[in-house]
Amino acid sequence: MCWNSLSVVVYSVVFCALLDFGPSRVLADEPSYEGNTTVRKGEPFKITCRVSMFQVIKWQKDGQTLVTDEHFNISEAVTGDSMLLSTVTANSASSIHSGSYRCTTQYNKFHELYVVTAQVTIKANYDYGDKYKIGEYKSKLILNCNIDGTQDPKYIWKWFKGDNQITTDSEDPHHVDVSENTLVVNRFIESDAGQYTCSLFNSNNNLIDKKVFNVVLKPYMKLPKTATFIEGEKMELECIVYGVPTPEVSWKFENTTLVPSEHIKFLPNKKNISNAILVLDPITMKDRGNFICSGKNTVVFEPVNSAASYVRIKDKMAALWPFLGICVEVILLCLVIFIYEKKRNKAEFEESDTDQGPETNNANDHSGGDVRHRK
């Protein structure tokens, strides 16, 4: 019985180990590929496959098994994280190298390689270097690719942003317009920044050549024209910032660059852009003047300045003076009314005394006559 119990334990451990390291775990690691997707005829290329070391390497091209020969060289290496790297290389690409490659038959995951035989070169309208195009906020951006030489009428142009093909935007056709070798963004904003590719295909839909644009948004900085604060209170002045990559923000007061201190602080805005909010606490009359925010990023090195914002500082007692003026006006008005009413009442009283004298005498005369008449 003890032996049987021990056997059950051993078999359980072995079974768990097989579950952990068996095919179910191996199959969980799909192969990943790196290397050329397009290569010119006569140039070298390399395709690398990264898989679990428990998988069996078996290179195929278009379903045909590959071995090291005069056309291909296959090598393998084990990495430090127990992964297997297998590489296919060739010193001189030719038409026989075009096709779909995979390193294991356990997955239908392929790496496509195109060998370009046509001598075609694409030129792109980069702003500088061999990859950057700079767009300005809410302005028109034009990406253009041209063939250096004569274009075959059977060639087809396609535009991509990342891995997604771009066509004229059906939801907003006025935003993006694609016309063969030209792409126009009519009102460029932050979400339009990214990696664009113009690709040229032949009639068989094989890639001939391509150019990649790294499109960035030039920093755009904006401040209110004027701002008013009360002396002694805290001032927060926010700079509206757009830009890709995210700009670095700095501030100037008149011609002086501002740096953090007990009086001056910088805060991030809602988009978490550092230094986008300038804080002066407390604000004084000396802080009255023009403020400017500037931005630059890793592509646009020259700082881009906002228009100046003029900050007005009101005396902290400024709100009291209008109130006191109103009080004085009310008091003067009451005083005028009082004097006027007093004079009017006095005049009416004197008139009533004057009118009452003759009437009283006439009354006395009438009464005396009546008395005499009765006698």
Side-chain angles (χ1 to χ4, degrees):
M1 291 297 294
C2 294
W3 173 252
N4 290 337
S5 299
L6 181 61
S7 299
V8 170
V9 172
V10 171
Y11 287 140
S12 298
V13 172
V14 172
F15 180 72
C16 292
L18 290 174
L19 287 178
D20 193 24
F21 295 102
S24 61
R25 178 165 181 176
V26 171
L27 293 176
D29 297 322
E30 290 190 0
S32 61
Y33 296 95
E34 295 180 356
N36 301 86
T37 56
T38 303
V39 63
R40 292 186 180 279
K41 184 178 180 180
E43 294 181 352
F45 73 87
K46 179 173 68 173
I47 302 173
T48 300
C49 172
R50 178 184 173 91
V51 296
S52 169
M53 65 182 298
F54 298 102
Q55 292 192 25
V56 177
I57 296 295
K58 185 179 181 180
W59 280 96
Q60 289 186 341
K61 184 182 82 70
D62 298 330
Q64 301 297 319
T65 301
L66 296 181
V67 293
T68 299
D69 56 18
E70 68 272 16
H71 300 296
F72 298 95
N73 181 36
I74 301 175
S75 61
E76 295 181 5
V78 179
T79 65
D81 55 353
S82 299
M83 298 295 287
L84 186 62
L85 293 181
S86 182
T87 304
V88 172
T89 60
N91 294 324
S92 179
S94 64
S95 58
I96 66 170
H97 293 112
S98 291
S100 300
Y101 290 77
R102 65 175 177 174
C103 63
T104 175
T105 58
Q106 292 176 314
Y107 293 95
N108 289 323
K109 189 173 183 181
F110 298 89
H111 181 86
E112 300 291 337
L113 177 69
Y114 300 101
V115 178
V116 179
T117 57
Q119 297 299 315
V120 173
T121 302
I122 296 177
K123 290 186 176 180
N125 64 331
Y126 297 121
D127 284 329
Y128 70 90
D130 58 354
K131 59 181 179 178
Y132 286 111
K133 186 69 178 177
I134 300 173
E136 296 191 9
Y137 185 65
K138 291 186 177 180
S139 298
K140 181 179 290 188
L141 174 73
I142 300 176
L143 305 181
N144 181 261
C145 291
N146 289 305
I147 292 178
D148 187 11
T150 304
Q151 177 176 337
D152 189 322
K154 296 181 181 179
Y155 289 166
I156 301 171
W157 289 98
K158 293 182 181 180
W159 286 90
F160 298 86
K161 183 180 181 185
D163 296 327
N164 300 318
Q165 185 175 351
I166 305 172
T167 57
T168 298
D169 195 337
S170 57
E171 296 182 358
D172 186 4
H174 300 293
H175 185 65
V176 177
D177 183 24
V178 177
S179 177
E180 294 187 352
N181 62 328
T182 302
L183 183 145
V184 178
V185 181
N186 291 302
R187 204 164 183 261
F188 190 75
I189 56 177
E190 278 186 319
S191 59
D192 294 317
Q195 189 177 81
Y196 290 76
T197 305
C198 66
S199 301
L200 187 64
F201 294 84
N202 61 19
S203 57
N204 295 323
N205 204 35
N206 293 327
L207 182 67
I208 296 174
D209 197 9
K210 65 181 180 180
K211 285 293 182 181
V212 177
F213 294 83
N214 285 332
V215 179
V216 301
L217 174 59
K218 182 179 179 179
Y220 173 84
M221 324 295 287
K222 184 178 180 181
L223 287 172
K225 291 183 179 180
T226 60
T228 303
F229 300 92
I230 297 176
E231 182 185 16
E233 295 186 353
K234 181 171 71 173
M235 181 196 85
E236 288 191 4
L237 189 63
E238 181 174 355
C239 180
I240 306 300
V241 182
Y242 295 100
V244 178
T246 302
E248 299 177 4
V249 181
S250 59
W251 289 82
K252 282 187 177 182
F253 173 64
E254 300 298 347
N255 293 321
T256 303
T257 300
L258 300 179
V259 295
S261 65
E262 292 185 1
H263 177 56
I264 301 170
K265 295 179 177 62
F266 301 107
L267 298 176
N269 61 6
K270 292 181 179 179
K271 297 193 296 182
N272 203 31
I273 299 178
S274 300
N275 301 344
I277 300 176
L278 170 65
V279 179
L280 301 182
D281 188 19
I283 193 169
T284 66
M285 287 295 180
K286 295 180 179 180
D287 298 318
R288 179 170 51 191
N290 292 304
F291 288 81
I292 295 173
C293 62
S294 304
K296 62 180 181 178
N297 57 30
T298 55
V299 178
V300 181
F301 301 106
E302 287 293 325
V304 178
N305 298 327
S306 69
S309 176
Y310 185 76
V311 172
R312 296 185 176 92
I313 311 298
K314 285 186 176 181
D315 186 351
K316 59 184 176 181
M317 300 296 290
L320 181 62
W321 303 124
F323 175 74
L324 293 178
I326 293 172
C327 292
V328 171
E329 289 179 359
V330 172
I331 292 172
L332 290 176
L333 182 60
C334 293
L335 184 60
V336 169
I337 293 172
F338 175 77
I339 294 173
Y340 172 77
E341 291 293 332
K342 186 175 181 180
K343 287 184 176 181
R344 191 182 70 170
N345 291 337
K346 183 177 180 181
E348 289 179 354
F349 178 75
E350 289 177 352
E351 288 179 2
S352 63
D353 288 345
T354 304
D355 295 339
Q356 189 177 5
E359 293 176 358
T360 305
N361 294 334
N362 291 335
N364 291 335
D365 291 342
H366 289 303
S367 60
D370 292 341
V371 172
R372 286 193 298 272
H373 182 71
R374 285 195 297 271
K375 289 181 179 179

